[in-house]
Amino acid sequence: QLQLAESGGGLVQPGGSLRLSCTASAILDYYAIAWFRQAPGKEREWVSCIRGTDSRTYSSDSVQGRFAISINNAKNTVYLQMNSLKPEDTADYYCAAGPRYSCSSTPSGLGRFDYWGQGTQVTVSS
């Protein structure tokens, strides 16, 4: 069973940057890896997705141009580089894995993600 572990969260000031990592227990060539986030009292929100097979990326409108997802297949790790952070980016961030074509440019088009990490907390505050 695939296991995922997130790291890199923390406290950052508005306008700052953080890089989250999602390290898997197996190769990611045949998976799609997505980042989701959930703020207190809100529903879980899809953030970004990458296909392990060809590194094609997808991002939600709310983070487009500020966040970038990437993959290092040799390290079985997916990254989420977050720049120009805003207080509304405060949330628990989770990575998840699903079948290789599970990514989509819209939340409604996402496939099923069966494997989830424990999450890492990101707080954007002055």
Side-chain angles (χ1 to χ4, degrees):
Q1 177 147 344
L2 184 68
Q3 295 180 325
L4 303 173
E6 303 94 338
S7 62
L11 173 64
V12 63
Q13 292 187 342
S17 298
L18 278 177
R19 188 178 79 160
L20 305 183
S21 299
C22 173
T23 301
S25 59
I27 61 172
L28 296 174
D29 297 41
Y30 306 110
Y31 290 94
I33 307 297
W35 285 96
F36 295 83
R37 66 185 180 185
Q38 188 165 19
K42 295 189 176 181
E43 293 187 355
R44 187 175 63 198
E45 175 190 15
W46 167 67
V47 174
S48 194
C49 193
I50 189 167
R51 300 198 311 203
T53 184
D54 60 6
S55 300
R56 182 172 175 177
T57 64
Y58 306 76
S59 290
S60 67
D61 290 343
S62 63
V63 304
Q64 189 75 37
R66 299 190 298 122
F67 291 11
I69 190 170
S70 62
I71 189 169
N72 185 327
N73 292 83
K75 294 185 177 180
N76 300 339
T77 299
V78 170
Y79 304 98
L80 185 68
Q81 178 66 44
M82 306 187 296
N83 300 324
S84 303
L85 282 161
K86 305 175 182 179
E88 51 264 44
D89 294 317
T90 295
D92 291 325
Y93 283 72
Y94 300 88
C95 65
R100 68 174 81 182
Y101 296 117
S102 295
C103 290
S104 172
S105 57
T106 62
S108 61
L110 293 172
R112 178 172 169 169
F113 290 86
D114 292 322
Y115 305 99
W116 291 79
Q118 294 299 308
T120 186
Q121 188 174 57
V122 172
T123 303
V124 185
S125 175
S126 55

